Amino acid sequence: MLILSLIWAWIAWNVYRPWHGKPESFGVISFAFGLLAGELPLHFVAVEFLITIGLIAADGLHGLLDASAVLIAGASWLALAQFHNQADGAREEVLDAARQALGDDFADKIPAQRRRTIPPGPAPGQIIQPFGYQVPGVKRVRNVAYFREHETELKLDIFHHETQPPNAPVLVQIHGGAWIIGNKDQQALPLMGQLASRGWVCVTLQYRLSPAATFPDNIIDCKRALVWIKENIANYGGDPNFIAVTGGSAGGHLSALLALSANNPDFQPGFEDKDTSVQAAVPFYGIYDFTNSQEQRQHPGLENLLTKHVLKCSLSDNPELWRQASPLYHVSDKAPPMLLIHGEGDTLAPIAESRVLYKALKEIPGVRVGLAELPYAQHAFELWYSRRSVQVICALEYFLSALHEEHLKR
């Protein structure tokens, strides 16, 4: 029991103090346990408690060491319960970031009736069943082809309310996976389900992955999907004139790059005349400067990945391509309103990445940007329903709804 309780204590410690040092492999382990325990803390407490009760019932605990083990386990449960409670603060962090971008009174722009539909927090069922992604009233249209050429076929999924109200705001989600794995079926499902249930049209798209694909293939695919959405989303109730883009990790990078490189012909071969601007962007925990110009990253792992599999050249060999792939080098006064969201506990993509992009955008007159730094949050924290992820989603809806109301009044 003592060994088990010490493992549990480390799991609880890790959510508060994730590994940011060397070797990088420890950071990956810290991420995996931190994400699971941090976003499912009560589930961990329940399982560990039942195991302890089972051992006691089986008369498997004896003496001072086992008594100490139970006390250690109890302390870890209290720590995880407290971690669960502090997640409510994520809502205010995101709202503060929205105020940075849109002003202190931004929420007043949203009609009271619309504000009332935004939940005050997670429902009990979402905490109990964090993977219950199906939302009543939401229809998902799967595998709609947006591009075909030779043997390449790229698809997207569309979430919309079954009543299909017309001229609904549109949210485009770009999945992560280090540009080499992942798919449109796995990520941001809570975000898309919740927004679609309240009248949004949400789209998640597929793009070519490395190493078979080489940058800029991935961003070209995202722009092709955006063009298709603008031309066809009205058929699903969406308003092509109000499109926001989001994504996490590699999807955070691509969503930021998409928003900041609007109408860049380098990323639109064969469709240079198409409009690829968006009205808002909400990148989650992305990598925004491949060149690491301000030493945001202390480890070489990402640079090696980009060199071998994504860009297929080193920074020294082709610095211009590395800059072209970095959202930081596309910052301009044409940037749409942006809300950057990043966890302070992220062991895979350091929060310094978002701070650098935020600072660059903030220095440009007229650009509206906010940065939400979420205490203790790990990479990919919003993959499923948790107290933190739902609070972030609700606050994010305030930001996007305020911008949509601005759009409607123009």
Side-chain angles (χ1 to χ4, degrees), residues 129-249:
Q129 294 182 298
F131 306 106
Y133 296 129
Q134 287 196 343
V135 180
V138 174
K139 181 179 180 181
R140 181 175 184 176
V141 183
R142 296 179 179 268
N143 297 322
V144 179
Y146 72 83
F147 177 73
R148 292 188 182 94
E149 186 176 81
H150 306 305
E151 296 181 359
T152 300
E153 183 175 67
L154 299 172
K155 301 175 182 179
L156 51 78
D157 291 359
I158 302 168
F159 298 72
H160 65 80
H161 197 273
E162 59 189 9
T163 60
Q164 202 164 313
N167 297 317
V170 179
L171 179 70
V172 177
Q173 152 70 18
I174 304 174
H175 73 79
W179 307 275
I180 60 175
I181 59 174
N183 62 62
K184 61 181 174 58
D185 299 322
Q186 299 171 335
Q187 298 178 19
L189 296 177
L191 172 62
M192 291 183 289
Q194 292 301 299
L195 288 185
S197 73
R198 290 190 290 281
W200 287 69
V201 174
C202 300
V203 183
T204 177
L205 61 92
Q206 176 186 32
Y207 57 87
R208 286 172 290 173
L209 299 174
S210 297
T214 304
F215 182 86
D217 291 348
N218 45 28
I219 188 64
I220 290 171
D221 293 343
C222 293
K223 286 182 176 273
R224 282 190 177 120
L226 179 60
V227 170
W228 185 96
I229 291 165
K230 291 192 173 199
E231 293 176 350
N232 295 275
I233 203 64
N235 297 328
Y236 301 88
D239 180 0
N241 296 311
F242 186 88
I243 298 175
V245 61
T246 187
S249 195

Side-chain angles (χ1 to χ4, degrees), residues 69-409:
V70 173
L71 290 175
I72 293 171
S76 70
W77 301 337
L78 289 174
L80 287 177
Q82 176 58 29
F83 195 82
H84 173 75
N85 290 334
Q86 64 83 30
D88 277 345
R91 186 189 190 101
E92 194 56 35
E93 293 290 339
V94 176
L95 289 175
D96 279 346
R99 295 184 190 103
Q100 294 170 22
L102 306 181
D104 291 341
D105 61 346
F106 85 97
D108 296 338
K109 301 173 184 177
I110 308 170
Q113 182 177 2
R114 188 171 184 177
R115 286 201 306 268
R116 283 194 292 268
T117 68
I118 302 175
Q126 293 172 324
I127 301 299
I128 296 170
Q129 294 182 298
F131 306 106
Y133 296 129
Q134 287 196 343
V135 180
V138 174
K139 181 179 180 181
R140 181 175 184 176
V141 183
R142 296 179 179 268
N143 297 322
V144 179
Y146 72 83
F147 177 73
R148 292 188 182 94
E149 186 176 81
H150 306 305
E151 296 181 359
T152 300
E153 183 175 67
L154 299 172
K155 301 175 182 179
L156 51 78
D157 291 359
I158 302 168
F159 298 72
H160 65 80
H161 197 273
E162 59 189 9
T163 60
Q164 202 164 313
N167 297 317
V170 179
L171 179 70
V172 177
Q173 152 70 18
I174 304 174
H175 73 79
W179 307 275
I180 60 175
I181 59 174
N183 62 62
K184 61 181 174 58
D185 299 322
Q186 299 171 335
Q187 298 178 19
L189 296 177
L191 172 62
M192 291 183 289
Q194 292 301 299
L195 288 185
S197 73
R198 290 190 290 281
W200 287 69
V201 174
C202 300
V203 183
T204 177
L205 61 92
Q206 176 186 32
Y207 57 87
R208 286 172 290 173
L209 299 174
S210 297
T214 304
F215 182 86
D217 291 348
N218 45 28
I219 188 64
I220 290 171
D221 293 343
C222 293
K223 286 182 176 273
R224 282 190 177 120
L226 179 60
V227 170
W228 185 96
I229 291 165
K230 291 192 173 199
E231 293 176 350
N232 295 275
I233 203 64
N235 297 328
Y236 301 88
D239 180 0
N241 296 311
F242 186 88
I243 298 175
V245 61
T246 187
S249 195
H253 159 261
L254 289 170
S255 61
L257 187 58
L258 181 70
L260 294 173
S261 67
N263 305 320
N264 186 328
D266 293 337
F267 298 152
Q268 299 179 207
F271 59 105
E272 295 87 351
D273 60 333
K274 298 293 185 179
D275 177 27
T276 56
S277 62
V278 295
Q279 282 63 57
V282 186
F284 283 70
Y285 46 83
I287 299 294
Y288 306 119
D289 176 16
F290 282 8
T291 70
N292 202 25
S293 62
Q294 300 182 39
E295 298 184 351
Q296 309 93 293
R297 304 182 299 276
Q298 304 303 314
H299 308 302
L302 178 65
E303 184 172 343
N304 293 337
L305 171 72
L306 295 170
T307 298
K308 293 178 181 178
H309 300 300
V310 181
L311 300 175
K312 299 177 184 174
C313 64
S314 68
L315 175 58
S316 59
D317 287 340
N318 194 345
E320 180 54 36
L321 180 64
W322 283 63
R323 284 192 291 268
Q324 186 188 42
S326 303
L328 181 65
Y329 293 96
H330 294 269
V331 166
S332 74
D333 59 3
K334 296 182 176 62
M338 296 183 70
L339 182 62
L340 309 177
I341 299 177
H342 215 127
E344 290 182 344
D346 196 319
T347 57
L348 299 186
I351 195 170
E353 288 286 336
S354 286
R355 290 170 178 165
V356 166
L357 181 59
Y358 169 74
K359 181 181 178 183
L361 288 164
K362 195 70 176 175
E363 289 176 349
I364 300 177
V367 170
R368 297 190 288 175
V369 61
L371 170 59
E373 300 189 10
L374 307 183
Y376 305 114
Q378 254 294 357
H379 199 75
F381 68 86
E382 89 300 1
L383 282 183
W384 53 76
Y385 289 107
S386 71
R387 195 163 184 170
R388 186 191 330 277
S389 68
V390 174
Q391 293 290 21
V392 169
I393 290 168
C394 294
L396 173 55
E397 187 175 352
Y398 274 94
F399 173 76
L400 292 175
S401 296
L403 289 173
H404 184 234
E405 288 297 328
E406 283 185 11
H407 165 74
L408 292 176
K409 292 174 182 177

